[in-house]
């Protein structure tokens, strides 16, 4: 059985400084064995856990006056794709609350019942049978049945589907034929009865459970807008999502807030806190918002001792630290003329002092990263070494690639300067990274041009291939979560920035066709070695997450795999009055 299923990140915020430092550049090993277990801690003396509020009497009046509302701070606004089949990135903060999936994950990253209270997998690993809980309802009162789950899987197979889920990796029988237009239905998806869904696959896959057991949307609501081969009308409902999650969508004030209301029909019981608000806050003033009681929760992917010290001064908040399965990385545009040569990409890795970056930014809350999987994962390849900072090695590689030092110290080739475009954001992450990057890359003869944009604009330019470097954060439950973006046949990666490596493709397919993690490990090790030899991304750092919750909010204890949304028990989650 697959060890974990896909869930997106918890609420991920960039507030004040980013990333963390470690005692050495090479991450320590893993602790998640094939049978599960707690994630490994980042190699530092910063301990995971919660420091409870020391003086709740200091709680601001602005917070105490909210007796039925929980406000979560976000420093980047979603782009309105409120449909879990279509939306990615920041939209998932909303989608995870409005929708539910057949299968969820527990705090160890293992699959647990959600809308489906049990499932069976045949001995050959090719047939999945899901048994839904009785009397499930969507938030509008309509019944949630196996027909809705089958419809959701069908949409993911649409020929024009361009969302974040690569359902082809589940190998559902007849799925390819439907996607290519050779069939009007998907042979392998069968509704046995209103509470039973059976899915037949053509080959074993470690990804099948999490893909088939994903989010369910109501056919009665979305079906009339669904037209095979044309999702435009279907996407019109993104602004008015309807699901079976903890909360229902109320309204959005663009660039300011998203309001959600408790779902009275939620299958685990109505949440005791009536209103959930995502408030868009300025990164530089996020701590002030928390101190003033204007928000109740915020998390920092750029955790460090400065932030920790400031949070401890807020005696009315509970401060939580946990080792995350996330990492920060620079995306390489391998289609760019200057980065098509892998030696140039490797040179850029050797040429950047990531340890200095991590030391300044994370101050003990992170470590230098090398692979697109966190050290918390059972799949982390501790024996595969990355490119440590070595300016001399970087210069040698650029020389070999034909880029010779020209006028002003900038390298040239065929009359063109070695210039890379970096898509930056007005963030503390870049305030630390950019000076180091400019200094280090100037030293090895690389000219860097910076363009500062907001998050959605960065994504848009990235998808058009109008960049050489851009930074992002990612999390992995299964290693495939990030590896899928390197698969040349992935439908979610635009052609303008698609990475192509036949060996990588082959190893991705092979490593995901096996259910046994111990048998997947050697294939994944070979895969991570090949990605080191021909890098599509430049992993910067692994880190811990610091979060703060107003102490009047009970039942919020963020963790590695569930974040805050997926670990909420609707019965224990409440406001202390």
């Amino acid at each position: 059985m697959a060890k974990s299923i896909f869930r997106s990140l918890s609420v991920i915020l960039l507030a004040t400084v980013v990333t963390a430092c470690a005692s050495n550049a090479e991450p320590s090993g893993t602790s998640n064995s094939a049978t599960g277990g707690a994630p490994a801690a980042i190699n530092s003396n910063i301990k995971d856990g919660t420091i409870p509020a020391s003086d709740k009497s200091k709680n601001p009046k602005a917070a105490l006056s909210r007796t039925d509302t929980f406000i979560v701070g976000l420093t980047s606004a979603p782009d309105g794709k409120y449909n879990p089949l279509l939306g990615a990135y920041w939209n998932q903060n909303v989608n995870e609350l409005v929708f539910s999936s057949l299968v969820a994950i527990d705090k160890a990253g293992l699959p647990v019942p959600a809308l489906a209270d049990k499932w069976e997998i045949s001995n050959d690993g090719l047939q999945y049978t899901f048994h839904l809980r009785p009397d499930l309802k969507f938030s509008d009162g309509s019944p949630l049945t196996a027909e809705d789950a089958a419809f959701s899987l069908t949409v993911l197979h649409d020929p024009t589907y361009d969302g974040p889920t690569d359902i082809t990796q589940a190998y559902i029988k007849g799925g390819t034929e439907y996607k290519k237009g050779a069939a009007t239905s998907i042979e392998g998806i069968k509704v046995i009865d209103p509470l039973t869904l059976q899915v037949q696959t053509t080959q074993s896959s470690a990804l099948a459970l999490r893909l088939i057991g994903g989010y369910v949307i109501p056919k009665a609501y979305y079906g009339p807008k669904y037209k095979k081969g044309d999702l435009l009308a279907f996407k019109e409902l993104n602004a008015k999502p309807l699901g079976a999650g903890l909360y229902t969508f109320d309204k959005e004030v663009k660039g300011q807030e998203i309001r959600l209301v408790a779902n009275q029909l939620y299958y685990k019981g109505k949440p005791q806190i009536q209103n959930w608000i995502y408030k868009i806050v300025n990164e530089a003033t996020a701590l002030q918002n928390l101190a003033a009681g204007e928000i109740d929760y915020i998390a920092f992917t750029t955790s460090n001792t400065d932030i920790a010290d400031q949070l401890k001064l807020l005696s009315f908040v509970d401060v939580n630290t946990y080792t995350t399965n996330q990492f920060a990385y620079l995306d390489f545009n391998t289609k760019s003329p200057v980065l098509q040569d892998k030696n140039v990409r490797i040179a850029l890795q050797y040429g950047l002092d990531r340890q200095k970056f991590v030391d300044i930014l994370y101050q003990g809350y992170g470590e230098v990263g090398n692979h697109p999987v966190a050290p918390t994962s059972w799949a982390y390849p501790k024996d595969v070494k990355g490119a440590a900072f070595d300016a001399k090695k970087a210069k040698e590689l650029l020389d070999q690639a034909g880029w010779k030092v020209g006028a002003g110290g900038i390298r040239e080739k065929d009359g063109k300067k070695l210039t890379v475009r970096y898509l930056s954001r007005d963030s503390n992450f870049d305030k630390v990274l950019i000076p180091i990057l400019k200094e280090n890359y100037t030293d090895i003869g690389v000219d860097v041009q910076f363009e500062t944009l907001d998050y959605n604009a960065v994504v848009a330019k990235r998808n058009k291939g109008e960049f050489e470097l851009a930074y992002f954060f990612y999390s992995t439950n299964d290693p495939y979560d990030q590896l899928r973006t390197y698969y040349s046949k992935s439908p979610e990666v635009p052609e303008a920035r698609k990475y192509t490596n036949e060996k990588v493709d082959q190893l991705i397919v092979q490593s995901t066709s096996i259910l046994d993690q111990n048998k997947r490990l050697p294939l994944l090790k070979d895969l991570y070695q090949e990605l080191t030899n021909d890098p599509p991304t430049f992993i910067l750092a692994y880190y811990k997450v610091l979060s703060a919750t107003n102490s009047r909010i009970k039942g919020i204890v963020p963790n590695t795999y569930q974040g805050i949304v997926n670990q909420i028990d609707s019965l224990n989650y409440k406001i202390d009055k």
Side-chain angles (χ1 to χ4, degrees), residues 547-561:
S547 69
T549 308
N550 188 296
S551 59
R552 75 188 213 295
I553 306 292
K554 301 302 178 185
I556 298 293
V557 185
N559 62 62
T560 299
Y561 289 101

Side-chain angles (χ1 to χ4, degrees), residues 307-325:
I307 293 175
D309 290 343
Q310 291 180 68
L311 289 176
K312 290 172 186 176
L313 294 175
L314 301 180
S315 57
F316 60 90
V317 303
D318 298 325
V319 181
N320 179 265
T321 304
Y322 68 90
T323 300
T324 181
N325 59 341

Side-chain angles (χ1 to χ4, degrees), residues 1-40:
M1 181 181 296
K3 186 169 169 54
S4 60
I5 69 164
F6 171 74
R7 302 295 289 183
S8 69
L9 305 184
S10 61
V11 181
I12 297 178
L13 307 169
L14 303 178
T16 64
V17 203
V18 202
T19 348
C21 96
S23 58
N24 56 43
E26 197 62 27
S28 55
T30 70
S31 70
N32 269 13
S33 67
T35 56

Side-chain angles (χ1 to χ4, degrees), residues 435-493:
I436 299 171
L437 191 134
K438 287 174 71 173
E439 179 184 357
N440 288 170
Y441 283 177
T442 299
D443 177 58
I444 63 174
V446 178
D447 174 44
V448 187
Q449 299 295 320
F450 300 93
E451 184 175 5
T452 302
L453 305 164
D454 65 24
Y455 177 78
N456 292 326
V458 168
V459 172
K461 280 219 164 195
R462 177 203 196 196
N463 287 341
K464 293 177 183 178
E466 298 174 356
F467 79 109
E468 272 77 45
L469 299 171
Y471 87 81
F472 292 93
F473 298 90
Y474 212 89
S475 70
T476 56
N477 291 331
D478 187 275
Y480 180 74
D481 293 338
Q482 175 72 356
L483 295 175
R484 71 186 190 214
T485 65
Y486 308 149
Y487 185 51
S488 69
K489 299 178 183 178
S490 172
E492 68 179 285
V493 181

Side-chain angles (χ1 to χ4, degrees), residues 279-575:
K279 183 176 181 178
I280 312 305
V281 297
N282 184 285
E283 181 177 334
T285 60
L287 274 169
Q288 290 95 311
N289 295 137
L290 181 68
E294 296 167 359
I295 58 176
D296 296 312
Y297 175 89
I298 194 160
F300 305 87
T301 54
T302 53
S303 305
N304 59 35
T305 53
D306 289 342
I307 293 175
D309 290 343
Q310 291 180 68
L311 289 176
K312 290 172 186 176
L313 294 175
L314 301 180
S315 57
F316 60 90
V317 303
D318 298 325
V319 181
N320 179 265
T321 304
Y322 68 90
T323 300
T324 181
N325 59 341
Q326 301 161 15
F327 50 86
Y329 69 98
L330 294 181
D331 199 17
F332 285 136
N333 180 7
T334 59
K335 288 289 185 73
S336 166
V338 298
L339 295 185
Q340 286 179 356
D341 188 334
K342 66 181 182 181
N343 281 333
V344 176
R345 283 176 268 136
I346 295 172
L348 292 179
Q349 291 181 320
Y350 277 109
L352 181 64
D353 190 348
R354 289 174 294 159
Q355 188 66 58
K356 181 178 180 180
F357 165 73
V358 163
D359 286 345
I360 295 172
L361 193 56
Y362 291 114
Q363 304 168 14
Y365 283 82
E367 62 180 303
V368 169
N370 284 309
H371 308 294
V373 61
T376 57
S377 172
W378 57 271
Y380 183 78
K382 60 182 179 180
D383 296 328
V384 179
K385 304 300 180 184
F389 178 51
D390 188 337
K392 181 180 178 182
K393 178 69 173 177
K395 292 174 182 178
E396 291 173 352
L397 286 167
L398 292 174
D399 285 338
Q400 292 171 21
W403 291 95
K404 305 300 181 183
V405 177
I410 301 301
R411 293 175 180 270
E412 299 178 359
K413 182 179 179 180
D414 300 329
K416 294 183 179 180
K417 291 182 178 293
L418 180 48
T419 300
V420 297
R421 293 166 294 176
Y422 179 84
L423 302 182
S424 67
R425 292 174 243 168
D426 185 17
S427 67
N428 287 307
F429 186 96
D430 269 338
K431 288 175 183 176
V432 173
L433 178 63
I434 286 175
I436 299 171
L437 191 134
K438 287 174 71 173
E439 179 184 357
N440 288 170
Y441 283 177
T442 299
D443 177 58
I444 63 174
V446 178
D447 174 44
V448 187
Q449 299 295 320
F450 300 93
E451 184 175 5
T452 302
L453 305 164
D454 65 24
Y455 177 78
N456 292 326
V458 168
V459 172
K461 280 219 164 195
R462 177 203 196 196
N463 287 341
K464 293 177 183 178
E466 298 174 356
F467 79 109
E468 272 77 45
L469 299 171
Y471 87 81
F472 292 93
F473 298 90
Y474 212 89
S475 70
T476 56
N477 291 331
D478 187 275
Y480 180 74
D481 293 338
Q482 175 72 356
L483 295 175
R484 71 186 190 214
T485 65
Y486 308 149
Y487 185 51
S488 69
K489 299 178 183 178
S490 172
E492 68 179 285
V493 181
E495 202 62 42
R497 66 174 185 87
K498 190 163 284 188
Y499 167 79
T500 302
N501 180 313
E502 290 185 9
K503 185 174 181 180
V504 167
D505 281 354
Q506 181 183 29
L507 287 167
I508 287 175
V509 171
Q510 289 176 343
S511 65
T512 54
S513 66
I514 301 169
L515 299 186
D516 188 326
Q517 287 184 354
N518 291 324
K519 293 180 180 178
R520 290 180 73 191
L521 278 172
L523 292 167
L524 287 168
K525 181 178 178 180
D526 289 345
L527 177 51
Y528 289 123
Q529 182 63 67
E530 181 60 23
L531 291 171
T532 300
N533 298 339
D534 183 14
T537 52
F538 182 10
I539 311 303
L540 297 177
Y542 309 119
Y543 49 85
K544 289 177 180 284
V545 167
L546 262 172
S547 69
T549 308
N550 188 296
S551 59
R552 75 188 213 295
I553 306 292
K554 301 302 178 185
I556 298 293
V557 185
N559 62 62
T560 299
Y561 289 101
Q562 296 175 311
I564 63 169
V565 172
N566 300 306
Q567 57 90 38
I568 288 176
D569 183 323
S570 59
L571 301 179
N572 296 328
Y573 157 68
K574 59 185 179 181
I575 292 179

